[in-house]
Amino acid sequence: MLSAQEELLLETKPIDSIYKEDQFYFGITYNLIGKKPSSMSQSGFSGGFHFGYTKDMPINKRRNKAIGIGLGLSLNSFNQNIQIAEDSSGNQSFQLINQDEITFTKNKFSTYMVELPIEYRWRTSTPENYKFWRIYTGFKIGYVFASNSKFEGTPENVKIKTIDAVNNLQYGLTFGAGYNTWNFYLYYALNPIFNDSAKIGDTVIEANAIKVGSMFYIL
């Protein structure tokens, strides 16, 4: 049992009335490709890993509404049936894999980004309650600092270290909702993954990224 002195200390412990929800975040997503050409399809698991830190800035007296600005990293892969090839001069091209003629075990491209999330945050938190409901909506800007593609199949494996046609600046809308540590997360890109030089024949690949998964927050 607690002594009378310990009980008194607990009762008189000051409440932080100007608390903030500064948080580390970690997310896992399933990556979808939207606005893809009719010939383009996904196969296997396309995953994303996201982690970073968000600074919380309350905007009302109750402190259940805030603006969050963060900084993080995002690693994303997309398994699909468009092969990125490169000739001896370093020119890259996109071509549909004819699965009647070519067999493969892996065909994916990956991007690695520094991200700046900006969120409007609503929550049911109080100075005494660290488990609460939340809804976070916002906008995320990302800069692709590295990319690659990997093909494993016939007639030979192909690995490209940097994809020239990737849009280095990527941005989109975000939505998160949940309780305590576990939260649903959605990202919808507003611009394409690739620039106008990415084509299948004469058709520009205007595909964008859609990420659906879970986000975990740690104070």
Side-chain angles (χ1 to χ4, degrees):
M1 296 181 62
L2 293 172
S3 66
Q5 184 177 3
E6 290 173 327
E7 290 177 348
L8 180 61
L9 287 172
L10 289 174
E11 291 174 359
T12 58
K13 183 178 179 180
I15 295 174
D16 183 9
S17 60
I18 56 171
Y19 73 97
K20 296 179 181 179
E21 296 294 341
D22 294 346
Q23 295 164 326
F24 290 97
Y25 65 85
F26 174 76
I28 301 174
T29 58
Y30 178 70
N31 295 340
L32 300 166
I33 300 175
K35 299 182 181 179
K36 58 182 181 290
S38 58
S39 58
M40 189 177 189
S41 62
Q42 289 186 255
S43 60
F45 179 77
S46 299
F49 299 93
H50 321 272
F51 53 93
Y53 179 78
T54 303
K55 180 68 177 177
D56 188 81
M57 296 175 286
I59 57 175
N60 65 334
K61 185 175 182 180
R62 184 182 166 187
R63 306 182 80 80
N64 69 322
K65 298 176 182 179
I67 299 298
I69 299 178
L71 184 65
L73 295 174
S74 178
L75 291 69
N76 300 277
S77 66
F78 298 86
N79 289 279
Q80 34 69 54
N81 65 337
I82 301 297
Q83 183 184 0
I84 303 174
E86 187 174 66
D87 63 23
S88 58
S89 300
N91 299 312
Q92 297 178 4
S93 62
F94 293 72
Q95 55 192 28
L96 176 66
I97 297 174
N98 186 337
Q99 297 187 44
D100 293 330
E101 300 176 358
I102 298 174
T103 59
F104 65 97
T105 57
K106 179 182 292 184
N107 183 64
K108 69 175 184 178
F109 64 84
S110 302
T111 59
Y112 307 84
M113 292 190 285
V114 177
E115 294 187 321
L116 175 67
I118 303 171
E119 300 172 331
Y120 170 75
R121 303 175 134 203
W122 174 89
R123 62 274 182 122
T124 60
S125 62
T126 67
E128 303 92 348
N129 181 20
Y130 294 95
K131 295 182 179 180
F132 52 86
W133 292 96
R134 62 165 61 85
I135 296 176
Y136 295 167
T137 62
F139 184 79
K140 181 177 285 187
I141 303 171
Y143 180 80
V144 179
F145 63 86
S147 61
N148 61 62
S149 69
K150 182 181 291 186
F151 170 83
E152 295 181 359
T154 58
E156 62 180 358
N157 297 340
V158 178
K159 185 173 183 179
I160 296 176
K161 293 183 178 180
T162 301
I163 305 171
D164 297 335
V166 164
N167 269 326
N168 292 117
L169 185 65
Q170 302 195 7
Y171 50 89
L173 303 176
T174 62
F175 175 81
Y179 179 75
N180 196 18
T181 302
W182 294 80
N183 298 269
F184 168 78
Y185 175 79
L186 171 66
Y187 168 86
Y188 184 87
L190 296 177
N191 71 323
I193 300 171
F194 303 107
N195 60 37
D196 292 345
S197 66
K199 299 179 179 180
I200 302 175
D202 295 326
T203 303
V204 174
I205 303 174
E206 298 179 337
N208 67 332
I210 303 171
K211 305 171 187 178
V212 181
S214 297
M215 193 67 71
F216 309 91
Y217 297 99
I218 304 172
L219 291 175

